[in-house]
Amino acid sequence: MNNIAIIGGGAAGLSAAVNLKRAGREVTLFERGDRLGRKLSATGNGQGNVTNVHMGVEHYHTDDEPLLARALARFGEKETVEFLSSLGGVFLPDARGRVYPAGRQASAVTDLFRRELERLQADVRLNSQVTALARTKGGFSLTTAAGKETFSAVILAAGGCAAPNFGTDGSAFALAKGLGHTVLPLSPVLVQLKTDPGEVRGLKGIRVDASLTVKRKGRPLGTFRGDVLFTESGLSGDAVFRASSYAMAGDEIEIDLLPDVSREQLESALQKGEGADCLLCVVNNGLGRLLWKRCGGDKRRLLALLKAFPVTVKGTLGFAYAQATRGGVPLKEVTESLESRLVPNLFFAGEMLNVDGDCGGYNLQWAFTSAHLVSEAISCR
Ligand SMILES: Cc1cc2nc3c(=O)[nH]c(=O)nc-3n(C[C@H](O)[C@H](O)[C@H](O)COP(=O)(O)OP(=O)(O)OC[C@H]3O[C@@H](n4cnc5c(N)ncnc54)[C@H](O)[C@@H]3O)c2cc1C
């Protein structure tokens, strides 16, 4: 197999291209945008959180956990760091296990890929959106504005629907559907949550290190510790992003604004000082004034608000603000090598597949893992 098209120049497509070129295969990489790796360059708040040392299937949502677990066992965080280091640079974990390039610049990770593809003299076509993909006798015919070309194998690595400003508007799912694949319902994850505006009024811009519990009909679904940022329309921050993988409209969220402080400690602190002053050095002053108003001067109610500030989920800010996509081509429709069970020599990698990970490097890990499984299978043929 030596005439391979890769559709999508993101983390997955770039990794597959490097692997296949290193294995001596001829590949053509089609990227609809005018630059490679635009989303990769924006990851981790621009710092590039490429994987996580606490890797495991429990950090993912998918339709086939056993397959995903085997995939991560074959190519996990260690292999990712080795692979990225083979391109150049140094990659280090922070205290929470999130792995970043030592220079803390995501765009430099993209530059490593670009440099390696140049060295390998890969055929990279920018501004080349693939608009149709069809089976032919010996393989596939692929259409771009420049015309039709044929390939013996195709890797679909065109991303999901999240953050369409980076070229991923979900339109590439039509290519998979056209070849008979199912696309499971698509929804945004790792995204800001919308709440009842009244519940967060006056709190915009306040950031707390909190613990947030999502409840459905009173039943806890999960607790998430980390940054919570109050916004005009709801909640943001890394704890909220992680919670967004579980929460849906109608769920209740309770925010423990002081997770490291016991009720007894708080009770005693609140005894000192009258009015909102009792909250000095307990919470941010702006937050304190609002909480005092909301508790109506009742310190028992104030304590309850501090340990379980309630908000109701009204939805999310949608794909435009999301970091990842839930849904896509089911793992049940692909083999261990992520080759289509319906169309031989059609492979999938990255966010197009129904795998989405928690915040913290898990989605890029999936892009690298899937790209490696696919390129290994193609290289062996
Ligand atoms: C702001 C932001 C921050 C993030 N931060 C992190 C993080 O720190 N850590 C982490 O693990 N994950 C993070 N993610 C998620 C992660 O970036 C994605 O899951 C990952 O990049 C997906 O890789 P991919 O190769 O599957 O798709 P993408 O990187 O989305 O690449 C797909 C590419 O395909 C191209 N394309 C689409 N359709 C076509 C077509 N028809 N023809 C040709 N080309 C096409 C697109 O232009 C795009 O360049 C973040 C996401 C965002 C939006």
Side-chain angles (χ1 to χ4, degrees), residues 157-324:
C161 306
N165 51 319
F166 297 120
T168 43
D169 55 7
S171 57
F173 283 113
L175 303 176
K177 275 189 181 167
L179 292 172
H181 275 280
T182 311
V183 175
L184 295 174
L186 302 160
S187 60
V189 287
L190 307 189
V191 60
Q192 290 185 31
L193 292 174
K194 277 200 287 192
T195 67
D196 189 331
E199 291 171 337
V200 293
R201 191 165 295 131
L203 296 176
K204 185 181 159 191
I206 292 174
R207 188 184 288 274
V208 280
D209 173 19
S211 171
L212 180 155
T213 301
V214 180
K215 290 187 169 179
R216 189 161 301 153
K217 295 186 179 140
R219 210 169 53 84
L221 295 181
T223 297
F224 307 89
R225 174 73 193 264
D227 261 8
V228 173
L229 172 68
F230 290 94
T231 68
E232 193 151 16
S233 53
L235 304 173
S236 185
D238 78 298
V240 176
F241 277 20
R242 277 183 282 134
S244 73
S245 289
Y246 303 84
M248 55 188 234
D251 288 349
E252 315 97 53
I253 287 183
E254 285 177 1
I255 308 170
D256 183 343
L257 297 163
L258 292 157
D260 297 325
V261 184
S262 68
R263 280 179 180 270
E264 295 69 37
Q265 229 179 326
L266 260 181
E267 252 168 344
S268 123
L270 296 181
Q271 296 316 314
K272 304 183 185 94
E274 288 308 311
D277 271 7
C278 70
L279 285 162
L280 286 174
C281 284
V282 175
V283 291
N284 163 293
N285 287 353
L287 178 59
R289 280 192 293 274
L290 194 122
L291 290 174
W292 182 252
K293 217 163 131 190
R294 207 170 279 186
C295 76
D298 177 347
K299 285 193 179 170
R300 270 204 357 258
R301 177 141 171 69
L302 179 62
L303 184 66
L305 283 176
L306 286 164
K307 293 307 274 178
F309 186 87
V311 293
T312 313
V313 180
K314 294 283 177 197
T316 73
L317 282 200
F319 280 119
Y321 296 87
Q323 291 196 356

Side-chain angles (χ1 to χ4, degrees), residues 6-15 29-52 60 99-100 106 125 127-132 143-144 156-173 175 190 241 319-325 349-353 355-368 370:
I6 301 175
I7 304 176
L14 290 169
S15 305
L29 175 65
F30 293 91
E31 166 53 51
R32 74 191 284 195
D34 60 1
R35 267 179 298 147
L36 293 172
R38 281 180 62 215
K39 193 181 286 178
L40 176 59
S41 295
T43 54
N45 282 326
Q47 299 190 30
N49 176 196
V50 291
T51 183
N52 198 301
Y60 290 90
V99 179
Y100 292 89
R125 315 263 183 93
N127 301 306
S128 298
Q129 178 167 0
V130 176
T131 51
T143 309
T144 64
L156 259 172
C161 306
N165 51 319
F166 297 120
T168 43
D169 55 7
S171 57
F173 283 113
L175 303 176
L190 307 189
F241 277 20
F319 280 119
Y321 296 87
Q323 291 196 356
T325 308
E351 210 173 300
M352 283 200 89
L353 285 160
V355 176
D356 64 277
D358 287 345
C359 204
Y362 298 98
N363 287 299
L364 283 176
Q365 176 62 54
W366 172 242
F368 299 133
S370 53

